[in-house]
Amino acid sequence: MAEKIVMPQLGESVTEGTISKWLVNVGDKVNKYDPVCEVLTDKVTAEVPSTFSGTITEIVIQEDETVAVGTLLCCIEEEKQAVIPGESKPTAADPYEKTVDTTVQSARQQRYSPAVLKLAQDNNLDLSRIEGSGIAGRITRRDIMQIVQGKKQPKDSPVSQKESPSQSSSQAAPSIPAISLPSESIDACSVLHATIHQTDEMIPVTGVRKTIAKRMVQSKQEIPHAWLMVECDVTNLVSYRSRIKDEFKKKEGLHLTYLPFFIKSVAEALKEFPILNSQWTDNHIIAKKTVHI
């Protein structure tokens, strides 16, 4: 019996989502609650779990496609085990089920959250050498911070240790093919133009980057841009932060910056002057009752 997996509503105001990555292929067997794909919305990136145990028979929506909530994503042939009268269910664990569980767990360990990827990139860390403390061994933000702070050490590199960093860095860089031009037509601009085209690199754009770029262009086109600068004496704020930052770091494990204080100030100002928290339409000005930052 074929069952359907549809696009879930991942938020109250979310009406559509983009399939950023499929975690299964046609013919794969999945268990109930196993993730089948990753969905990107304007607010979150979330995994869509399977609501049945069975075999993937069809994938309807391809990666990077945006569809509305309730759209069919894939079909699963549900497995139903026939119960033979008089035959008791074995109590020992099935070796096949153990293999499947191990495979699923290993696959989950290869997926990282955007925060983990950003921290690893900023600190030049190899995620394959880090042991995760999250569910099913998943690497969390806390694992990265412990390594950065020296509280935890990464595993030995699975790559062969025979090649030292100095050896790898001493390898010759790929040479640029020579540019053959008639001597009478050679000038600085033509040589530079040819060199740039030979060294161009195509970088794939992820769903998150696409959404950020789209929203930035939209805000520039739709929102009037203006700014006003006023000097303010924040001596007391600097003193207060200096007094509590060590205690905050010890309690929360994070550095206390000035941004939370600025956000608090903006929120209070918008409550006191609601006209600043308004939206222009063709015939009306909508004064917002809530503050969203």
Side-chain angles (χ1 to χ4, degrees):
M1 177 178 171
E3 301 290 350
K4 300 177 180 179
I5 303 295
V6 300
M7 173 69 73
Q9 186 169 12
L10 299 175
E12 184 178 352
S13 60
V14 176
T15 59
E16 62 182 16
T18 302
I19 303 296
S20 59
K21 182 180 180 181
W22 277 102
L23 307 178
V24 296
N25 298 311
V26 174
D28 289 352
K29 292 185 177 181
V30 296
N31 296 322
K32 190 175 182 180
Y33 306 125
D34 283 349
V36 295
C37 66
E38 292 180 354
V39 174
L40 172 68
T41 69
D42 293 341
K43 299 182 181 295
V44 296
T45 298
E47 294 177 343
V48 176
S50 172
T51 51
F52 311 95
S53 295
T55 304
I56 303 294
T57 58
E58 182 183 7
I59 293 179
V60 180
I61 306 300
Q62 302 303 315
E63 292 184 358
D64 295 329
E65 286 192 33
T66 302
V67 293
V69 172
T71 302
L72 176 64
L73 300 180
C74 66
C75 296
I76 296 180
E77 186 70 27
E78 187 177 9
E79 293 181 352
K80 292 186 177 181
Q81 297 180 352
V83 179
I84 302 176
E87 181 178 353
S88 60
K89 186 176 180 179
T91 57
D94 189 351
Y96 173 76
E97 292 180 356
K98 289 185 178 180
T99 304
V100 172
D101 292 341
T102 304
T103 304
V104 172
Q105 181 177 355
S106 176
R108 286 177 177 172
Q109 293 177 357
Q110 303 304 319
R111 297 193 297 276
Y112 313 107
S113 67
V116 168
L117 291 173
K118 182 66 166 58
L119 281 173
Q121 182 180 4
D122 292 344
N123 295 279
N124 196 24
L125 296 177
D126 184 2
L127 291 175
S128 63
R129 299 177 57 193
I130 300 175
E131 293 183 357
S133 61
I135 300 176
R138 197 161 189 174
I139 298 175
T140 64
R141 186 178 183 278
R142 183 182 297 274
D143 296 328
I144 303 294
M145 293 303 299
Q146 288 180 346
I147 292 180
V148 173
Q149 297 170 3
K151 300 178 181 179
K152 184 178 179 181
Q153 295 296 327
K155 299 183 297 184
D156 294 336
S157 175
V159 183
S160 175
Q161 302 294 332
K162 294 181 180 179
E163 182 181 0
S164 63
S166 59
Q167 291 175 337
S168 60
S169 60
S170 62
Q171 293 179 353
S175 59
I176 301 175
I179 304 172
S180 177
L181 296 174
S183 58
E184 62 273 9
S185 63
I186 293 181
D187 55 59
C189 292
S190 62
V191 173
L192 178 61
H193 180 75
T195 304
I196 290 175
H197 277 280
Q198 292 187 19
T199 57
D200 284 349
E201 180 183 2
M202 300 295 292
I203 302 176
V205 179
T206 62
V208 174
R209 281 189 171 183
K210 288 181 181 178
T211 301
I212 293 174
K214 181 179 178 181
R215 294 291 178 253
M216 290 181 66
V217 174
Q218 181 182 357
S219 65
K220 187 66 176 178
Q221 292 175 344
E222 297 182 358
I223 302 175
H225 284 64
W227 62 275
L228 174 66
M229 183 175 66
V230 178
E231 291 187 359
C232 179
D233 184 1
V234 292
T235 303
N236 293 335
L237 172 60
V238 174
S239 301
Y240 177 71
R241 173 185 171 273
S242 300
R243 189 167 65 252
I244 67 171
K245 65 179 184 180
D246 293 337
E247 181 184 354
F248 184 87
K249 176 67 182 304
K250 187 181 300 183
K251 181 180 179 181
E252 302 294 340
L254 300 172
H255 294 285
L256 179 60
T257 65
Y258 290 104
L259 181 60
F261 300 100
F262 297 151
I263 293 177
K264 173 68 173 177
S265 301
V266 172
E268 294 298 330
L270 292 178
K271 292 178 182 179
E272 186 175 355
F273 303 98
I275 193 63
L276 296 176
N277 189 26
S278 60
Q279 177 183 355
W280 170 268
T281 62
D282 292 337
N283 300 315
H284 301 86
I285 295 178
I286 303 175
K288 304 291 185 179
K289 296 298 183 182
T290 54
V291 176
H292 297 284
I293 297 181

